[in-house]
Amino acid sequence: MSRPRVYLETFGCQMNELDSELVAGQLHALGYRFVDEPEGAQVILYNTCSVREHAEQKVWSRLGELAIRKQDDPVLVVGVLGCLAERDGVALVKRMPVVDVLCGPGELDKLPSLLDNAYRTRQSLLADRVTATDADRRSASQIALQGNSSRRSATLAAAQDSLEMLDLSRATSPLETMDEDHPSAGAVRKRSAYVRITRGCNKFCTYCVVPFTRGAEVHRPPEHIIDECKKLADAGVIEITLLGQTVNHYRFEHGAAVTIGGVVQPQKGRSYAGGHRRDPFAGLRVTTFADLLSRIHEEVPSIERLRFVTSYPRDFGDDVLEVIRDHPRICRYLHVPAQSGSDRILKLMNRGYTVSEYLEFIDRARGFLHEPAKGRPLSISGDIIVGFPTESEADFDATIGLIERVRYKNCFIFKYSPRPGTTAFDKLEDDVPDAIKRRWNNTALDVQSRISDELSRESLGRTLGVFVEGLSRMEEKKRERPAKSCGGGVSLTIGGKVIHSHAGEEDEDAGGLMAPVEALGEAVMGATTQLSGRSDGDHIVFFDVPSGASADELVGRIVPVTIERVQRLSLFGRLDGASAGRSKK
Ligand code: SAH
Ligand code: SF4
Ligand code: F3S
């Protein structure tokens, strides 16, 4: 087979971004070449999200366009990967016969063989000059899905296997360019990376597709996680974000570990009475989340920043808070979504905590970790869903009360979107009119916006360590280059908005608080170059490259920036030339 050109587009959350990176590494090793634009690609892959209807619609419209293109380009191979593939299953191929490959997030290890088959099939359909009907195309489709329950109910040995190998075989060559047609595109030293610690989710919040699309909660062996962090660090990474849907539930029981072919297998999550206090089994034959954090911190000292998303508000022990407090390179940042401020709604959502329990956690976390006098404030961000079935004005007011009480650094507000297959979809009518959802969304955003602005002001005059991710959006625009993630992918500049990589942020349903466009528009029209990056507390920080320094040598490093001006979530500061010169490469 010649070396097909692949265009891969990723939607959805960080989990998907990581999956795309792993898939791309695997395909690249097999000889596929990656291109920046769909035009001219022989294989087009969409790694999709299903968390809200709007996320799916974007993929449907892309597929509609490809159906037209494929009439002129019959050998084109189209693949739908990720959560939409898993949720919709073969119905997707029926609705969109343009799709040749369907691969759920739990089956990505099988993608190379599916693609290879699809590519050969397309070529032979053409060679035989068969006028393929839709039925032919469907029967030629290459499909790998978990199905409803396979990985949830299967034995450990059958379940983990090569999916774990996909993470283990991660390509970490630091300066590798994935794209030979555009050699500069990938040739940025990768300094920031995601590392998965837990797959899937066992919570079954009634609105959520993730337990169905990602399957059962499975914890990766700590040795695999630490080795991966070491490999990434050796390749130049200085910032790692650990990923899981409920990261604080991480727990690996060594006594129960299964080894296949010399490789310790990931382990199914199980509920345990962890409560809010120390895990009684910690330190024995169990690696808890607290143990994992402290081991990574101690065993991989060249990681300058360690963070994790997403935290579940329940079962978050003091042991984890102590570890964060006592380990300086763990960020004082928690993403811990409340979803609602009404106990009645939380119950209907099956979240498993009350508002007062949530607030108890927030107060406890601040008690341990909010130390502004030491220059280490705690930043908390959240997610809220408005317009859940039966939600009343009183429930919504309670949510506003919660936002005011918690004072999030930022909070993503989502309008409830009924998802087929979930309990809420089956049992609760989507009875809040869209106009009301919109109004609540806007109100919540306004409140959050004011709070973000107030909190940002507290940074005025402070000097923050900023991980420099790349040129600011306006700087990119000025240079008329497509937006790129220079730092390695934790945050991206997409579609005209600086976004924090998180489920739904580029989704119009998401009332996430973005860096306001007008804030980005100034300070860049002159001769200076504006860079952007993130503070330890996940604030977006903009600053100009000082004279005597170059943008290239600052990107991918952590530099001290003194904040001089703020606007909502955006902080604007100054880097002094001396420290720019001093910082090590
Ligand atoms: N595991 C994380 C959330 C992952 S999904 C947690 O439990 O906190 C990311 C966010 O999408 C959720 O926090 C929720 O706010 C939002 N979301 C999920 N399903 C949704 C739905 N059906 N409609 C609207 N928002 C939804
Ligand atoms: Fe979805 Fe709830 Fe799991 Fe988060 S914890 S992924 S919201 S089911
Ligand atoms: Fe899947 Fe992430 Fe979307 S888990 S549904 S891609 S938010």
Side-chain angles (χ1 to χ4, degrees):
M1 180 167 77
S2 64
R3 303 182 60 205
R5 286 187 297 277
V6 184
Y7 172 77
L8 167 61
E9 187 171 347
T10 306
F11 302 82
C13 64
Q14 297 105 320
M15 219 39 111
N16 258 17
E17 287 177 36
L18 174 57
D19 283 342
S20 284
E21 185 186 329
L22 298 177
V23 157
Q26 187 187 34
L27 293 177
H28 183 68
L30 292 170
Y32 289 82
R33 290 177 293 165
F34 281 78
V35 292
D36 287 343
E37 304 292 337
E39 293 77 26
Q42 292 146 311
V43 176
I44 295 186
L45 302 176
Y46 296 127
N47 193 6
T48 61
C49 175
S50 198
V51 79
R52 284 170 292 277
E53 193 185 351
H54 186 262
E56 294 190 350
Q57 276 165 357
K58 286 193 239 178
V59 180
W60 294 122
S61 76
R62 296 279 201 289
L63 292 174
E65 289 159 18
L66 288 185
I68 297 167
R69 169 170 162 186
K70 206 163 176 170
Q71 286 169 0
D72 297 329
D73 186 7
V75 278
L76 180 70
V77 172
V78 176
V80 176
L81 325 178
C83 290
L84 170 60
E86 186 65 48
R87 191 195 69 68
D88 214 26
V90 282
L92 190 150
V93 184
K94 287 206 181 95
R95 175 171 165 186
M96 282 289 176
V98 68
V99 175
D100 304 293
V101 173
L102 206 55
C103 187
E107 308 290 327
L108 289 172
D109 46 295
K110 306 194 176 70
L111 183 64
S113 64
L114 299 177
L115 265 192
D116 189 47
N117 285 340
Y119 193 75
R120 286 168 200 276
T121 309
R122 302 271 1 137
Q123 301 273 349
S124 65
L125 275 178
L126 195 75
D128 296 346
R129 300 197 174 281
V130 172
T131 314
T133 63
D134 282 355
D136 291 334
R137 292 208 181 93
R138 273 203 299 282
S139 61
S141 300
Q142 303 296 315
I143 297 175
L145 303 168
Q146 288 188 39
N148 288 333
S149 60
S150 61
R151 287 202 171 169
R152 196 170 287 286
S153 58
T155 64
L156 273 173
Q160 322 313 331
D161 48 40
S162 49
L163 192 55
E164 178 64 11
M165 296 313 289
L166 186 61
D167 286 64
L168 282 179
S169 65
R170 180 171 198 165
T172 52
S173 61
L175 287 171
E176 180 175 26
T177 169
M178 300 282 258
D179 176 1
E180 287 148 26
D181 295 341
H182 306 269
S184 65
V188 176
R189 179 175 280 268
K190 198 165 149 39
R191 307 282 273 174
S192 179
Y194 294 126
V195 171
R196 192 181 336 258
I197 64 170
T198 299
R199 295 195 175 87
C201 183
N202 280 355
K203 296 305 299 180
F204 289 96
C205 303
T206 54
Y207 50 82
C208 184
V209 291
V210 175
F212 304 99
T213 62
R214 296 258 166 193
E217 184 182 82
V218 169
H219 305 298
R220 299 185 62 209
E223 282 68 28
H224 293 188
I225 296 166
I226 291 163
D227 281 354
E228 199 173 321
C229 293
K230 284 183 181 158
K231 267 202 314 192
L232 289 164
D234 287 346
V237 166
I238 59 168
E239 179 182 77
I240 283 182
T241 303
L242 305 176
L243 297 185
Q245 295 299 345
T246 54
V247 276
N248 48 310
H249 287 179
Y250 179 84
R251 182 182 168 85
F252 195 87
E253 296 180 9
H254 296 267
V258 175
T259 305
I260 298 175
V263 179
V264 180
Q265 298 299 301
Q267 193 167 79
K268 278 192 172 186
R270 54 179 91 167
S271 55
Y272 69 101
H276 288 218
R277 302 300 158 203
R278 280 182 181 282
D279 183 339
F281 304 107
L284 293 172
R285 294 178 60 74
V286 175
T287 298
T288 61
F289 183 53
D291 298 331
L292 183 71
L293 280 180
S294 97
R295 278 193 65 186
I296 297 172
H297 186 276
E298 295 308 301
E299 295 179 34
V300 201
S302 60
I303 295 303
E304 294 177 41
R305 264 189 195 174
L306 182 60
R307 38 169 115 244
F308 50 85
V309 286
T310 301
S311 299
Y312 196 72
R314 237 183 60 183
D315 312 325
F316 201 115
D318 288 354
D319 52 348
V320 183
L321 298 173
E322 282 166 7
V323 165
I324 302 171
R325 182 194 60 200
D326 297 340
H327 293 75
R329 288 176 287 106
I330 303 180
C331 294
R332 302 267 172 123
Y333 169 72
L334 294 175
H335 181 74
V336 49
Q339 312 299 0
S340 171
S342 153
D343 282 340
R344 192 181 69 83
I345 297 293
L346 284 175
K347 196 157 190 204
L348 284 176
M349 289 176 162
N350 189 33
R351 286 292 282 183
Y353 52 83
T354 61
V355 173
S356 66
E357 285 165 341
Y358 181 84
L359 293 175
E360 183 275 333
F361 169 68
I362 296 292
D363 290 344
R364 195 155 47 92
R366 288 219 165 98
F368 276 91
L369 301 175
H370 188 55
E371 298 183 299
K374 291 189 185 168
R376 305 220 62 199
L378 172 66
S379 276
I380 298 176
S381 65
D383 297 351
I384 291 287
I385 297 175
V386 294
F388 191 79
T390 77
E391 186 169 342
S392 65
E393 293 283 348
D395 294 315
F396 174 69
D397 289 347
T399 294
I400 293 293
L402 178 117
I403 294 174
E404 297 266 15
R405 166 76 160 72
V406 176
R407 292 178 69 75
Y408 294 105
K409 182 209 68 157
N410 69 314
C411 187
F412 298 93
I413 319 283
F414 302 105
K415 291 190 300 169
Y416 170 69
S417 168
R419 309 310 298 130
T422 61
T423 306
F425 181 90
D426 291 340
K427 301 232 162 92
L428 299 167
E429 188 195 341
D430 178 23
D431 59 356
V432 178
D434 196 54
I436 293 183
K437 287 182 187 167
R438 270 181 195 281
R439 175 162 61 78
W440 287 348
N441 193 341
N442 291 337
T443 306
L445 266 182
D446 286 346
V447 170
Q448 180 53 46
S449 185
R450 173 177 49 74
I451 294 168
S452 293
D453 196 51
E454 288 165 7
L455 290 179
S456 289
R457 273 172 216 293
E458 293 176 7
S459 298
L460 278 171
R462 278 191 194 140
T463 300
L464 307 177
V466 174
F467 178 90
V468 187
E469 291 169 344
L471 299 178
S472 71
R473 185 185 73 82
M474 287 309 293
E475 195 63 48
E476 290 278 6
K477 242 183 156 177
K478 206 165 82 181
R479 297 175 182 209
E480 291 183 322
R481 280 197 357 213
K484 275 246 175 310
S485 157
C486 298
V490 170
S491 68
L492 299 168
T493 314
I494 291 177
K497 294 177 285 195
V498 174
I499 67 157
H500 166 107
S501 304
H502 177 276
E505 280 169 334
E506 42 174 322
D507 186 333
E508 276 163 24
D509 286 349
L513 198 55
M514 314 296 177
V517 170
E518 67 276 16
L520 307 181
E522 6 176 332
V524 295
M525 301 319 288
T528 52
T529 300
Q530 192 184 52
L531 297 179
S532 67
R534 295 268 164 180
S535 70
D536 167 312
D538 203 46
H539 273 103
I540 306 162
V541 183
F542 298 92
F543 63 95
D544 288 341
V545 178
S547 57
S550 81
D552 281 354
E553 67 191 24
L554 291 172
V555 170
R557 286 162 47 187
I558 297 174
V559 297
V561 175
T562 305
I563 304 307
E564 298 177 320
R565 199 161 56 80
V566 306
Q567 189 164 15
R568 291 214 287 177
L569 268 185
S570 307
L571 312 183
F572 297 83
R574 178 177 40 80
L575 166 76
D576 71 80
S579 58
R582 266 203 316 272
S583 310
K584 57 186 174 5
K585 180 88 182 165

